[in-house]
Amino acid sequence: MIELKNVHKKFGKLEVLKGVNLTVKEGEVIAIIGPSGSGKSTLLRSINHLETIDDGEILIDGKRMGGSTKQIKEARLNLGMVFQQFNLFPHLTVHDNIALAPKLNHRYSKEELEKVIDELLSKVGLLEKKNSYPPQLSGGQQQRIAIARALAMKPKYMLFDEPTSALDPELIGEVLRVIRQLADDGMTMIIVTHEMSFAREIADRVIMIDGGVIIEEGSPERIFSNPENERTKTFLKSIIDREASMKEGLFSAAGIEIEN
């Protein structure tokens, strides 16, 4: 499991995480929601040691994340991470982007690696793009390749930091379908997302973060239907109102009248 115990993180005088406690069990899908600047992405980056925490501890399968470079590298082998931006190497083909980390870490034999790459590209529906370069792909395709790249190291846990935020609306669905498939396969995942309907559908537990602390957590049914914290209520209402406004604007642009 992944455990966070009283985790604090500051950037200068700004305290972004203020004593976060969280346990993620194997096979569990956690959706983290909250307003921008609440500490969601910092929390995710801290789990992978992309940010060094100031206090508390993070345990991956009982082992403390941190210490020597070797210890951090070993812990990261069990952690796959997908970012808002795709972070693919534009000068490398899709095949070579996926193959890079396994080659550096001697994860497979040459024959095994080729088989794994084909399997992963088939999984994300992009086997035909194997020899293409990232600039030749749509944003949704690039993000699916980024997911395949993360999966190539056979991680035990996957971390998603708003994986659809950089995508056009019509491309979001293809990425969410891949993540949904991973959930169906039993992958343990922590997903920072603004896609509320997706969080409601896919998560076993929803975590609401505001001001660097977890202010509420529970099942998707309870959080979205009957939140207890007033801040959670106002946040979810703002999301619903925004989505309704966007929908109204799209219909209006298409010349379709909405009946009240």
Side-chain angles (χ1 to χ4, degrees):
M1 66 177 70
I2 298 175
E3 296 177 271
L4 285 75
K5 299 182 178 181
N6 195 34
V7 171
H8 290 256
K9 173 62 184 177
K10 291 182 178 180
F11 293 103
K13 294 181 179 180
L14 178 63
E15 189 172 15
V16 179
L17 300 178
K18 304 174 183 178
V20 174
N21 293 283
L22 177 64
T23 299
V24 182
K25 298 178 180 178
E26 187 172 348
E28 193 173 21
V29 178
I30 302 293
I32 299 180
I33 65 173
S36 298
S38 59
K40 306 184 302 296
S41 294
T42 299
L43 177 62
L44 214 61
R45 291 173 62 84
S46 297
I47 292 173
N48 207 21
H49 206 73
L50 295 174
E51 301 290 353
T52 304
I53 61 175
D54 297 304
D55 198 8
E57 60 180 355
I58 298 173
L59 305 174
I60 311 295
D61 292 333
K63 296 182 179 180
R64 190 174 186 274
M65 173 55 97
S68 67
T69 302
K70 181 180 179 181
Q71 289 174 318
I72 295 169
K73 183 178 179 181
E74 288 176 352
R76 280 179 176 161
L77 291 176
N78 281 323
L79 295 167
M81 188 159 182
V82 177
F83 301 87
Q84 297 177 36
Q85 302 298 327
F86 322 124
N87 295 333
L88 299 174
F89 293 105
H91 64 289
L92 298 180
T93 64
V94 164
H95 171 281
D96 291 347
N97 265 282
I98 298 173
L100 185 59
K103 283 182 178 179
L104 291 174
N105 289 277
H106 309 289
R107 199 69 165 178
Y108 310 97
S109 68
K110 183 176 180 180
E111 293 76 17
E112 288 173 334
L113 179 57
E114 292 304 315
K115 182 180 179 181
V116 167
I117 290 173
D118 285 352
E119 289 174 349
L120 289 173
L121 286 174
S122 296
K123 191 180 190 75
V124 301
L126 291 171
L127 182 59
E128 76 281 1
K129 300 296 184 180
K130 183 177 179 178
N131 296 312
S132 299
Y133 289 86
Q136 298 173 322
L137 307 178
S138 70
Q141 290 173 333
Q142 290 188 61
Q143 191 64 294
R144 283 187 280 162
I145 296 302
I147 293 172
R149 179 181 59 182
L151 292 171
M153 291 299 292
K154 288 191 174 180
K156 190 174 181 180
Y157 309 106
M158 284 289 288
L159 312 175
F160 291 91
D161 186 8
E162 298 188 23
T164 61
S165 66
L167 301 178
D168 293 332
E170 66 268 21
L171 301 177
I172 290 173
E174 61 190 52
V175 174
L176 296 184
R177 280 192 292 272
V178 173
I179 300 174
R180 187 181 292 110
Q181 183 181 351
L182 294 178
D184 291 341
D185 292 341
M187 172 68 75
T188 308
M189 296 188 285
I190 306 176
I191 307 169
V192 170
T193 183
H194 285 300
E195 300 290 335
M196 297 298 123
S197 59
F198 182 69
R200 185 169 193 160
E201 174 192 345
I202 198 173
D204 296 304
R205 186 157 42 112
V206 175
I207 307 294
M208 171 71 183
I209 292 184
D210 188 41
V213 297
I214 295 175
I215 63 172
E216 189 166 5
E217 63 179 286
S219 68
E221 292 77 14
R222 191 190 68 74
I223 294 295
F224 290 109
S225 300
N226 190 30
E228 297 174 355
N229 189 285
E230 286 300 321
R231 182 67 183 99
T232 307
K233 293 178 183 179
T234 57
F235 171 73
L236 291 176
K237 184 179 184 302
S238 70
I239 295 293
I240 293 171
D241 290 345
R242 185 190 68 185
E243 291 178 347
S245 177
M246 290 176 63
K247 182 178 180 181
E248 183 178 348
L250 289 172
F251 275 91
S252 177
I256 301 173
E257 292 187 5
I258 302 175
E259 295 183 4
N260 294 321

